[in-house]
Amino acid sequence: MYSLSDIQNLQQQSKVFLESTSVTPADIDLLRSVLRFHEYRYYVMDEPLLADGEYDHLYKKLQILETENPQLITKDSPTQRVGSSLGASFNTVQHLVPMLSLENSYQSEDLLDWDRKARELTGLDCITYCVEPKFDGAGISLFYENDVLIRGITRGDGVAGEDISENIKQVRSIPLSAPFSKYGISQIEIRGEIFLPKKAFEQYNQSLILQGLPPLANPRNAASGSLRQKDPKQVAKRNLDAFLYHISYYVAKDQRIPETMQSHSASLEMLWECGFRSPVKEMRVLTGIDEVIRHISEFEEMRSSLPYEIDGMVVKVNDYRLQEEMGMTTHHPRWAIAYKFKAQQATTKIKNVEFQVGRTGAITPVAKLEPVPVGGVTVASISIHNEEYIREKDLKINDTVLIERAGDVIPQIVKSLSALRIGEEKEIVFPKDCPICKTTLYKEEEEAVWRCVNIDCPAQVVERIIHFGSRDAMDIRGLGDALVRKFFEENLLTDIPGIYKLDYQKISALDGFGKKSIENLQASIEQSKTQPLHRLIFGLGIRFVGEATAKTLAKSIQHIFELIEKTEEELLQLEDVGIKVAGMITAFFKNTSNLDMLHQLQKAGIKMEQDKIAAPTSGSPFDGHSFLFTGTMEKLKRSEAEEMVEKLGGKIMSGVSSKLNYLVVGENAGSKLEKAKKLHTIEILNEDEFLNMIKNF
Ligand code: IVH
């Protein structure tokens, strides 16, 4: 897509734009190209070359230019992704070519049969196939004319779908324009799958749970639901992604078949070159079905480590001429077949239901199951969310249920097998009182969740301490769930500030505590005192304040106590802060026991202010040199190492490029290391070499 010299020029130009105070209308096209380039690096390649803040800065410059000169706005400008709300329904649009389905197969014999038929049809002894993952999301079709995205449509009934162009534009890995004309193509229809990466799915579900709503069953439902949202701005928040894997129609400019349209793998390469996320890295071109079968079984092993869901693999005849010869049925093409992985499902019995009290007092019913292996792990309990969910799924104690685990996603109940009931099943009865502190439970009208409103409920206190020390909050390594519970039971830890007043003498008297483990715990507690402000805010566990909101809040203040003074109106000005969140924040900072907790934390030496950017020490060997850390380091935290570099006058880069001077490599370093090696100009250091460099300075 971009040659090395393009990359260097665009990167150079980005810096020029970042530094210049006046960008003129004459620069507008170049600025747009620079932004498109960075979107591609970030969303398609996953190797950004600018810090997020730098990108935002450039984007704002473009927005200002376009506001001042509306006649210069183009349809494919990066600013045009943000659409306005859609009407009551989407328009129905015919697909240029029907969106067919795929024939399914479930075992290697099916593939052998299919290959035999394919060889009979083509008269060949051996066929070359392209094998790629079967992405588990929502099918879409994109149409580009003269290099510009004209529309995006859902699959619908395969003949016509819904025009969801505005929502499609929120998927940042889909380019609004792409240089197909370079390949002699004037019109093109591309098929692919929109999906929610596993991490985005988890975050989305987390936010639903925080709002007291039931989480979605799987990323596929989340993706198709997101695409049909009426407000494109809401779609943008879901962090959808897309793989494009098929060209269903194209018009060549001079009637000649472009070289890129001779085979499926070449067409995927072209899509990649045009800036799409096509599965070029995930595909394999293999000769003969035996190799295909071997590859599929190897790929299945990696399934759970992928950052997105797949439900199988797709085998396609690679040569387009052969594809044409083989043709299609009304249901599916004869030149492709899906191989579906075994469903990671199992049946088991609900033995009992326990009611757990969460950090915010939410009561979650958890079904205790007869332990059963599913997709490589044994599942013994499953959250059944709330009363509504229990009713919808018609669950009873002693029911046999079908359960499912998709990739790393939390196991869930698919359905209860009511035909197997023998009359010994019992209704699941929701308690009226908190199972821990016996306070009467309370439910707001529009909520599905019952809550214990006693903020001193021991179960809530424990969960709040666990949350404070958790990885995304203060990241106190070694202070895991089990330990917090144990300390709480032993009365050694009764509230959050107590973490910093632990009596290590008493702890050493407990079973299983050696000198080393106590030292480690003490060290990580000490280290947590200097965590950035947003982690502290997130750690406080204010309802509805997730990581993103905590970051927004931290950015808006210098010191945490400024939040005491903020009014709801002021908070509402901040991005992501709605009325519910603002109310929770002001209530939290009005509460005297919360303020008392903050004062205790301050006394314990927890950093409560925004990091100051240290003035670089001049004359240091780090001066002006750029660094990037990759992989897991043993002795240093990445944030510490980066801070050291910055203090000494160096810069931290976000990706590998010719601008990078040093790459510091920890355990399991991946593509960044490979790339740095290829550039030959980057000095590669291991952790000790980096530490030496610091020491010697
Ligand atoms: S090719 C004409 N390739 O699976 C054939 N489909 O169950 C076009 N899917 O409707 C489809 N990953 O939505 C193809 N790598 C892949 C795919 C894929 C997922 C979906 C697609 C299709 C469905 C059939």
Side-chain angles (χ1 to χ4, degrees), residues 324-341:
E324 211 163 306
E325 244 176 64
M326 295 174 76
M328 46 191 79
T329 70
T330 49
H331 172 262
H332 60 258
R334 289 195 191 88
W335 45 261
I337 191 163
Y339 178 89
K340 296 284 267 283
F341 290 148

Side-chain angles (χ1 to χ4, degrees), residues 102 112 252 471 597:
L102 288 169
L112 290 167
R471 204 181 56 190
M597 168 175 74

Side-chain angles (χ1 to χ4, degrees), residues 16-17 19-24 27 61 65:
V16 173
F17 280 139
E19 279 154 27
S20 84
T21 46
S22 64
V23 182
T24 68
D27 298 320
K61 283 195 172 176
L65 265 187

Side-chain angles (χ1 to χ4, degrees), residues 101-118 129-135 264 289 292-293 296 311-318 323 326-327 331-341:
S101 208
L102 288 169
E103 183 180 355
N104 283 328
S105 65
Y106 301 92
Q107 45 202 1
S108 42
E109 286 73 34
D110 300 339
L111 288 176
L112 290 167
D113 280 348
W114 177 74
D115 169 66
R116 199 171 308 121
K117 272 189 242 144
Y129 296 111
C130 185
V131 187
E132 62 204 36
K134 184 169 185 309
F135 305 102
H264 176 67
I289 200 72
V292 169
I293 292 171
I296 289 180
D311 59 345
M313 303 289 277
V314 185
V315 186
K316 298 174 180 175
V317 170
N318 198 36
Q323 284 193 3
M326 295 174 76
H331 172 262
H332 60 258
R334 289 195 191 88
W335 45 261
I337 191 163
Y339 178 89
K340 296 284 267 283
F341 290 148

Side-chain angles (χ1 to χ4, degrees), residues 176-202:
L176 301 185
S177 61
F180 290 114
S181 51
K182 230 171 66 185
Y183 297 90
I185 292 171
S186 58
Q187 288 185 1
I188 188 163
E189 191 182 62
I190 310 164
R191 302 274 159 85
E193 208 82 1
I194 300 266
F195 62 95
L196 205 61
K198 286 177 189 167
K199 193 148 184 230
F201 173 69
E202 274 164 33

Side-chain angles (χ1 to χ4, degrees), residues 419-439:
L420 297 176
R421 286 185 180 154
I422 48 168
E424 283 179 8
E425 299 72 28
K426 284 186 279 177
E427 291 295 327
I428 299 170
V429 184
F430 236 77
K432 295 267 172 285
D433 304 329
C434 170
I436 305 295
C437 72
K438 310 296 173 220
T439 305

Side-chain angles (χ1 to χ4, degrees), residues 466-628:
I466 292 173
H467 173 75
F468 186 84
S470 66
R471 204 181 56 190
D472 296 328
M474 296 297 265
D475 193 19
I476 307 179
R477 302 279 161 95
L479 190 70
D481 299 20
L483 203 59
V484 172
R485 288 185 212 287
K486 185 163 177 70
F487 287 175
F488 191 83
E489 271 167 29
E490 304 283 341
N491 218 14
L492 290 167
L493 178 58
T494 52
D495 58 11
I496 290 173
I499 297 174
Y500 299 96
K501 298 178 204 157
L502 284 174
D503 184 336
Y504 292 100
Q505 205 124 47
K506 281 195 185 149
I507 293 175
S508 61
L510 295 177
D511 267 357
F513 277 91
K515 199 164 160 252
K516 190 81 199 142
S517 61
I518 292 191
E519 272 171 18
N520 286 345
L521 178 64
Q522 221 168 346
S524 57
I525 290 179
E526 200 52 37
Q527 234 175 26
S528 73
K529 292 182 175 173
T530 53
Q531 286 290 12
L533 184 55
H534 65 85
R535 284 178 170 268
L536 173 63
I537 297 177
F538 177 59
L540 296 177
I542 307 168
R543 225 175 123 203
F544 304 134
V545 176
E547 271 182 277
T549 313
K551 281 189 180 155
T552 311
L553 287 173
K555 267 194 216 157
S556 76
I557 51 173
Q558 280 304 315
H559 194 286
I560 198 158
F561 287 140
E562 286 171 40
L563 289 176
I564 304 173
E565 311 295 331
K566 291 239 187 232
T567 61
E568 279 189 23
E569 290 69 36
E570 284 169 330
L571 290 167
L572 283 169
Q573 304 299 317
L574 302 172
E575 204 184 319
D576 285 347
V577 178
I579 190 79
K580 256 172 37 182
V581 187
M584 280 296 163
I585 298 169
T586 47
F588 184 92
F589 286 96
K590 270 201 195 100
N591 178 303
T592 45
S593 44
N594 289 337
L595 293 181
D596 178 51
M597 168 175 74
L598 282 168
H599 281 116
Q600 288 190 55
L601 288 174
Q602 188 183 35
K603 243 172 129 185
I606 282 72
K607 193 178 75 184
M608 299 199 146
E609 64 279 321
Q610 200 53 272
D611 283 325
K612 291 192 186 59
I613 313 269
T617 327
S618 62
S620 108
F622 286 78
D623 229 2
H625 283 152
S626 55
F627 286 74
L628 177 65

Side-chain angles (χ1 to χ4, degrees), residues 327-366:
M328 46 191 79
T329 70
T330 49
H331 172 262
H332 60 258
R334 289 195 191 88
W335 45 261
I337 191 163
Y339 178 89
K340 296 284 267 283
F341 290 148
K342 273 175 210 64
Q344 308 195 83
Q345 290 187 332
T347 53
T348 186
K349 250 185 162 176
I350 298 183
K351 289 195 304 191
N352 191 13
V353 172
E354 285 180 4
F355 294 87
Q356 290 181 355
V357 189
R359 173 165 59 85
T360 58
I363 307 292
T364 309
V366 176

